[in-house]
Amino acid sequence: MNRDSQEKIIECQKISQIFKDGNTTIPVLDEINFNIKHGESVAVMGASGAGKSTLLQLLGGLDNPTSGKVLLKGFDLAKLSSKKRGLFRNKYLGFVYQFHHLLPEFSALENVMLPLLIAKIDKKTAHQLAVKLLDRVGLSTRIKHRPGQLSGGERQRAAIARALVNNPSCILADEPTGNLDETTAHSVIKLMLDLNEEHNNGMIIVTHDKSLAMKMNKIYELTGGKLVLQ
């Protein structure tokens, strides 16, 4: 994969996030500087309520910081229109959550094809790419099954395939194994790391699992609103 390992995919410049609850101000993130490049895998750990999911939402352009900038491929996400921001997210980012968020009325194949169809890829090519990736994640015999017919691990594998089908520059994962048993979690993380290496993308995983975090290139602790490299 011809991707510059020195290119910053996502860069945070002094991002802060403050929530207001009535007259109460709640600081969550405090002037965080951070970046991720191609080929890097990063774990973000921290106590519940520390702001890990908030940080991931900002990195993914799902929310704007109170102050500071989040740059995706050099573009300030806050300055993009909602339509263009959505197109940027679909092109450059893949999202994996604790709960798979697959559409229940669609088959695994249709769920994985969806980001390609949104990107205006023709249906035949989208079908071929989705089938290839579902085979890579071990679901070649399950492509016509709907989420309700798949096990928890299979659903998460389908969600990973959906996140990767556009060959995004960076994967953002929020507790991707939090809903899985230990054996299934291990196989899912191995799969994500293998694909990370194959595609030379970046990967940021928010997790409570220390053993999972230890498999990443870098571990950050989010504490007191600051992101600290461990």
Side-chain angles (χ1 to χ4, degrees), residues 11-214:
E11 182 179 10
C12 299
Q13 299 178 350
K14 290 190 173 183
I15 61 167
S16 296
Q17 190 72 320
I18 298 169
F19 293 121
K20 291 188 177 180
D21 183 10
N23 293 323
T24 307
T25 299
I26 306 166
V28 180
L29 304 176
D30 182 18
E31 294 199 345
I32 286 175
N33 292 301
F34 167 84
N35 67 71
I36 185 163
K37 300 172 183 174
H38 287 288
E40 287 187 331
S41 58
V42 170
V44 178
M45 302 191 73
S48 293
K52 302 185 298 297
S53 294
T54 298
L55 175 63
L56 210 62
Q57 284 188 305
L58 296 179
L59 297 181
L62 298 170
D63 199 1
N64 291 328
T66 305
S67 62
K69 293 180 182 178
V70 178
L71 306 179
L72 174 58
K73 290 285 187 172
F75 289 87
D76 185 347
L77 287 172
K79 291 185 178 178
L80 299 178
S81 68
S82 58
K83 182 179 179 181
K84 190 160 188 182
R85 192 191 297 205
L87 292 171
F88 261 55
R89 275 200 303 268
N90 193 57
K91 181 176 182 180
Y92 294 119
L93 302 175
F95 296 87
V96 181
Y97 299 98
Q98 179 174 352
F99 300 99
H100 53 82
H101 293 303
L102 298 171
L103 298 174
E105 67 275 22
F106 289 171
S107 67
L109 176 61
E110 290 165 336
N111 268 285
V112 175
M113 286 175 63
L114 205 55
L116 295 169
L117 299 176
I118 290 170
K120 308 294 188 199
I121 304 294
D122 69 90
K123 197 169 183 178
K124 183 180 177 182
T125 302
H127 184 279
Q128 290 171 340
L129 290 168
V131 167
K132 183 179 179 182
L133 198 48
L134 281 162
D135 179 54
R136 178 64 188 82
V137 301
L139 292 178
S140 58
T141 62
R142 313 286 279 169
I143 64 173
K144 293 182 180 178
H145 289 65
R146 293 184 180 181
Q149 299 169 304
L150 301 173
S151 70
E154 287 171 337
R155 288 194 289 265
Q156 200 62 316
R157 284 170 176 269
I160 291 166
R162 181 184 56 187
L164 283 163
V165 73
N166 259 352
N167 196 16
S169 296
C170 191
I171 297 293
L172 302 176
D174 195 353
E175 299 284 1
T177 60
N179 207 31
L180 304 174
D181 64 77
E182 188 176 345
T183 303
T184 307
H186 178 78
S187 69
V188 164
I189 286 303
K190 183 179 185 307
L191 172 65
M192 292 182 74
L193 287 168
D194 287 348
L195 292 168
N196 170 246
E197 188 174 339
E198 284 175 29
H199 292 262
N200 194 35
N201 50 30
M203 186 163 66
I204 303 170
I205 291 184
V206 162
T207 183
H208 283 100
D209 187 339
K210 187 71 180 285
S211 63
L212 187 162
M214 295 291 286

